[in-house]
Amino acid sequence: PPGVRFILSTDEYDKYEASGSSPSDEAARLHRTWTELKRRGCPFLRVESLTMDVRHSIIEAFTAKYKRKEGDRVPGLEIKEDQIFKLATAAAASQPMFLRTILYVLRLSVEINKDVAVDAQIDQYLTAETPGDLIKEVFDLCNSFIENGEVPAQNILGRVLSVLYASRHGLSEMEIWGAVEMAMGSQLEPRTKDTILRILDDLTMTV
């Protein structure tokens, strides 16, 4: 309705350096925006961690959506009951971004590398302590798909993401390839381009 505003935030506490300067008093650590909104008596809704039932529902809905259908040329994502249990009961899976990222990279790995061992990948990803650590693992894996063991590594995915990040209104495929190839000093193979586009499919928006 007119005049109604929503404020969304992932910060409740101020972030302090790891130098031991963090105050011990909880009230002193509360984020100033949060403190001011509470002072004004603004109503709030706290987004809680995912419950076990919700985690199972997300995993089952995701696998059902990307299960291989008759006529599909790429393999679908199949996760067994024990693997679902392992994912759902992991402490980090209470964070939506963490769980969604693991499911995304499992599906991507199965599509690009048909011989992938789902169990081994789940174990590897669950060792990540934060969503940031997991995303780094995912980008490293995606880059390995693109470069396919080439030596020396050229960080092709990093170059692609950098030019996309720097663009204000997005780039066409030709513009992406031109900028990356100019930086590399060599041309990208058609297979490499196809792999990059497949990885970007879930990470970006195409208009």
Side-chain angles (χ1 to χ4, degrees), residues 20 34 74 76 84 157:
W34 170 248
V74 295
I84 292 177
L157 180 60

Side-chain angles (χ1 to χ4, degrees), residues 139-140 142-164 176-177 179-197 199-200:
F139 281 160
D140 287 345
C142 290
N143 198 60
S144 70
F145 289 151
I146 294 171
E147 304 201 7
N148 200 25
E150 291 183 8
V151 178
Q154 302 186 67
N155 190 26
I156 297 175
L157 180 60
R159 297 178 190 272
V160 171
L161 295 177
S162 293
V163 298
L164 286 174
I176 295 173
W177 308 144
V180 172
E181 288 172 349
M182 182 182 298
M184 292 173 52
S186 60
Q187 290 192 328
L188 296 171
E189 297 292 332
R191 181 204 68 81
T192 301
K193 293 180 180 180
D194 289 342
T195 304
I196 292 172
L197 291 176
I199 291 171
L200 293 179

Side-chain angles (χ1 to χ4, degrees), residues 85-186:
F85 179 81
K86 185 185 296 185
L87 275 176
T89 54
S94 64
Q95 304 174 57
M97 182 180 178
F98 195 98
L99 181 57
R100 176 65 176 79
T101 302
I102 287 184
L103 293 172
Y104 158 74
V105 73
L106 286 176
R107 177 171 70 95
L108 183 66
S109 300
V110 168
E111 288 187 16
I112 295 180
N113 181 5
K114 298 179 181 179
D115 299 324
V116 65
V118 175
D119 264 328
Q121 284 207 68
I122 291 176
D123 289 339
Q124 176 185 348
Y125 300 141
L126 290 182
T127 60
E129 297 182 355
T130 65
D133 293 337
L134 176 61
I135 290 172
K136 182 182 182 304
E137 291 252 12
V138 170
F139 281 160
D140 287 345
L141 178 69
C142 290
N143 198 60
S144 70
F145 289 151
I146 294 171
E147 304 201 7
N148 200 25
E150 291 183 8
V151 178
Q154 302 186 67
N155 190 26
I156 297 175
L157 180 60
R159 297 178 190 272
V160 171
L161 295 177
S162 293
V163 298
L164 286 174
Y165 179 78
S167 65
R168 300 187 65 181
H169 304 292
L171 296 171
S172 67
E173 289 181 19
M174 293 300 295
E175 289 171 329
I176 295 173
W177 308 144
V180 172
E181 288 172 349
M182 182 182 298
M184 292 173 52
S186 60

